[in-house]
Amino acid sequence: MELDARTLKAETRVTADVCIIGAGPAGLTLARELADSGILIVLLESGGTGADTDAQSLNDGKTVGSPYHGLRATRHRQVGGSTNLWNTSIDGVGGAKYTPLDDIDLEERAGIPQSGWLFDRGHLEPFYQRAQTVCGLGTFDYDAAHWATPKRPCLAIPNTDHLMSRVYHAGPAHRFTATHANAIRASENVRLVHHATCCSLLLDGARVTGAAAMSSTHGRCRIEARFIVLAAGAIENARLLLVSGEREAAPGNQHGWVGRCFMEHPRDSSIRLIPHQPSDAFERIGFYDLHRSRDDMWIIGRLAVGESALRTNGYPNASVTLLPRRRRRWLEAARNVLSPGRGTSSSTPTTLGYGWSRTPNDWDRCDSVQVLLNLEQHPHPDNRVVLASDRDAYGVPRAELRWRWRDEEQSTLARLRAFLADRLGTLGLGAVEMTQEMRPDPNAHHHAGTTRMSTDARRGVVDADCRVHGTDNLYAAGGSVFPTAGFANPTLTIVALAARLADHLRTRL
């Protein structure tokens, strides 16, 4: 069932067993997993079925600290959530990369304060299997050996304790924006209410009795439910908790943890390979491009840092993507043909996108390989979401992100770069060039950590079941509950945790 909240003329009261706030991958998965149980579910979405400027304006917020794209550019209000912005082209449609967290990502690690999940990777395995199906992916196997073929072999790596080949799976966004969203619309016991912005939670002691929502036409909706799940993203989950109480009185904020330990996935492009024989090198790294596997699924090879190297040296976890780069002199020649007399000083090499290995003629225009690092950022309490002084169109305080890339993180990255440059040099692809001073780009749009999982309220916001500390019936879903985020694109883990939460709520209901 579907309801556009803009059609509401007066305050409307809706009752349900479960109210889920946010119709991104976490909210859609949770609603679908519970749909066959016969319980009544309301799925609230601030945006609509298409892009909506009014809804997007609610994402405006202030950022303080290191350069960052901002809170509007890095998230999206619409059915399907930020999957509507995915930009990895798969068969001509938008998609994204998937990979699970590594074993070490869930462990408490020496020298990394606030690290450690409340369960290990083995506990998540069956939920990852379910998430693989939800995301429309193939066999749950992320070891490169399973996917390599004689036509696209893995690189021969001398020491796999330090560096190894792994894979991403790639899947289209319409799995969420269409497939799951349409299934929700067709469900008799799930009501999708879009253009309904949750402005606050309704509290009664340790219980949350419901949520108050508004539409752009000033329609009001009061959802009363036995259980409330925040699935609105790491920024909005924290913001909703903070606006629903005063400081320590906010749900889960007894010790001031709501909004803290915000994490991103910085991307570093400081390393390049200069092949001895470019065409031969590009052919050798064909496995590490987006390509169809034997079972007709989409795979992208990658290089992973070995766990022994991570443990010994304290590096952040990281993944290496290899992409050919067009040579500067070809770009300069093209610029001179198009704009004679303009000079060549501003020409800059560009990196080919995924799919480059299917167009070998492009290789003639390339003379180097961009080594792109996708990095883990460790949790830091001072990287946080707080409430700003200004308010949005509904009178709700906007979010303010305080985030910095710190000198100690840059120092650790410098050591990781040197390690990877040394390892890459042993592959026989060519010489390695590196720019140590470069700062990474933090704008992967992978928000995490602001309602982190912990044993009790003294170290975080939710417990092992993702229930907000100090409450009886309020839960959080999505990347906001991650204690640490590894380097991995978060969607597969978000969906796995949503399936896990669905099982828990089934037992309670």
Side-chain angles (χ1 to χ4, degrees):
M1 294 181 286
E2 185 173 6
L3 173 66
D4 186 336
R6 294 174 299 181
T7 64
L8 302 176
K9 301 302 182 184
E11 182 160 314
T12 301
R13 178 174 172 269
V14 178
T15 60
D17 294 302
V18 178
C19 175
I20 303 167
I21 300 169
L28 287 168
T29 300
L30 183 58
R32 284 212 69 183
E33 291 277 324
L34 291 174
D36 63 358
S37 60
I39 63 174
L40 296 178
I41 301 165
V42 170
L43 178 59
L44 281 185
E45 170 53 45
S46 178
T49 56
D52 185 306
T53 302
D54 289 339
Q56 290 309 106
S57 68
L58 299 172
N59 282 337
D60 286 334
K62 185 178 180 182
T63 58
V64 177
S66 299
Y68 193 67
H69 277 176
L71 300 186
R72 182 166 182 165
T74 57
R75 54 199 181 125
H76 191 72
R77 296 181 188 233
Q78 187 177 336
V79 176
S82 293
T83 64
N84 289 280
L85 302 181
W86 284 358
N87 58 7
T88 297
S89 181
I90 303 170
D91 268 347
V93 299
K97 299 178 291 187
Y98 291 88
T99 190
L101 292 171
D102 293 331
D103 292 353
I104 194 172
D105 294 329
L106 278 72
E107 297 175 5
E108 185 174 352
R109 283 176 278 170
I112 304 176
Q114 285 81 50
S115 63
W117 289 53
L118 303 188
F119 40 78
D120 60 18
R121 167 61 193 276
H123 173 82
L124 271 186
E125 196 75 8
F127 302 105
Y128 271 136
Q129 297 274 359
R130 285 162 60 179
Q132 192 86 352
T133 301
V134 170
C135 297
L137 307 175
T139 305
F140 183 75
D141 195 324
Y142 287 80
D143 288 327
H146 177 85
W147 304 102
T149 65
K151 184 178 179 180
R152 289 183 187 262
C154 300
L155 289 168
I157 300 176
N159 187 345
T160 55
D161 286 339
H162 288 174
L163 201 66
M164 67 188 75
S165 291
R166 302 277 286 169
V167 299
Y168 292 108
H169 289 230
H174 61 66
R175 186 74 178 177
F176 294 100
T177 60
T179 304
H180 297 315
N182 289 337
I184 292 299
R185 292 185 178 98
S187 175
E188 293 184 358
N189 59 306
V190 182
R191 176 176 289 184
L192 170 61
V193 185
H194 54 75
H195 290 100
T197 299
C198 182
C199 297
S200 67
L201 303 174
L202 306 175
L203 307 177
D204 182 11
R207 288 189 64 79
V208 179
T209 59
M214 292 184 66
S215 73
S216 58
T217 57
H218 306 292
R220 295 176 180 271
C221 187
R222 178 187 177 100
I223 301 91
E224 297 175 358
R226 295 168 59 191
F227 296 96
I228 306 291
V229 181
L230 301 176
I235 302 293
E236 205 64 19
N237 281 359
R239 180 192 183 208
L240 280 171
L241 289 172
L242 291 171
V243 300
S244 299
E246 292 292 330
R247 296 187 179 179
E248 286 76 15
N253 204 36
Q254 301 93 316
H255 295 273
W257 279 100
V258 171
R260 292 189 183 272
C261 294
F262 174 88
M263 294 171 284
E264 256 284 11
H265 282 148
R267 296 170 297 188
D268 182 68
S269 55
S270 61
I271 302 175
R272 281 194 303 156
L273 284 168
I274 312 301
H276 305 306
Q277 298 180 336
S279 61
D280 175 65
F282 300 150
E283 188 166 346
R284 287 179 60 194
I285 64 172
F287 177 78
Y288 303 87
D289 185 26
L290 175 69
H291 63 279
R292 283 192 180 275
S293 65
R294 289 186 299 268
D295 57 359
D296 209 32
M297 302 306 296
W298 288 101
I299 297 297
I300 306 171
R302 65 181 183 86
L303 296 174
V305 182
E307 287 196 3
S308 62
L310 296 175
R311 294 183 199 283
T312 302
N313 301 292
Y315 301 139
N317 204 349
S319 180
V320 176
T321 300
L322 302 174
L323 294 167
R325 282 195 356 160
R326 287 194 175 99
R327 58 180 175 266
R328 184 183 299 273
R329 58 182 176 274
W330 180 85
L331 288 165
E332 291 173 349
R335 185 183 297 275
N336 286 336
V337 169
L338 295 172
S339 303
R342 285 187 58 185
T344 62
S345 61
S346 62
S347 61
T348 304
T350 58
T351 303
L352 298 185
Y354 289 127
W356 60 264
S357 62
R358 298 194 294 275
T359 56
N361 289 340
D362 279 352
W363 300 356
D364 294 337
R365 302 171 180 175
C366 299
D367 64 355
S368 62
V369 176
Q370 178 64 64
V371 178
L372 180 65
L373 306 186
N374 293 282
L375 298 166
E376 171 185 25
Q377 182 180 28
H378 295 154
H380 193 293
D382 290 341
N383 288 338
R384 62 186 300 201
V385 174
V386 300
L387 296 180
S389 57
D390 59 328
R391 296 173 181 265
D392 65 19
Y394 299 134
V396 180
R398 293 189 183 276
E400 177 181 301
L401 175 63
R402 299 175 181 176
W403 181 89
R404 286 199 302 118
W405 179 254
R406 290 171 164 76
D407 290 342
E408 57 266 31
E409 292 173 301
Q410 187 68 16
S411 177
T412 304
L413 173 58
R415 294 193 296 110
L416 175 63
R417 286 169 173 166
F419 168 80
L420 287 173
D422 177 70
R423 294 295 89 203
L424 291 167
T426 68
L427 301 181
L429 291 171
V432 179
E433 290 186 352
M434 180 168 55
T435 307
Q436 275 287 25
E437 297 77 17
M438 182 183 292
R439 294 252 165 175
D441 172 15
N443 293 288
H445 306 181
H446 295 169
H447 302 166
T450 59
T451 65
R452 64 194 322 269
M453 191 182 300
S454 65
T455 53
D456 57 52
R458 291 171 295 177
R459 295 190 59 197
V461 179
V462 304
D463 65 15
D465 294 320
C466 297
R467 181 180 56 83
V468 174
H469 289 306
T471 71
D472 178 61
N473 62 332
L474 176 63
Y475 292 82
S480 70
V481 305
F482 291 11
T484 50
F487 74 88
N489 297 54
T491 304
L492 193 69
T493 303
I494 286 171
V495 171
L497 289 176
R500 179 177 179 271
L501 178 55
D503 287 358
H504 171 77
L505 289 176
R506 250 186 247 269
T507 63
R508 290 204 66 186
L509 286 158

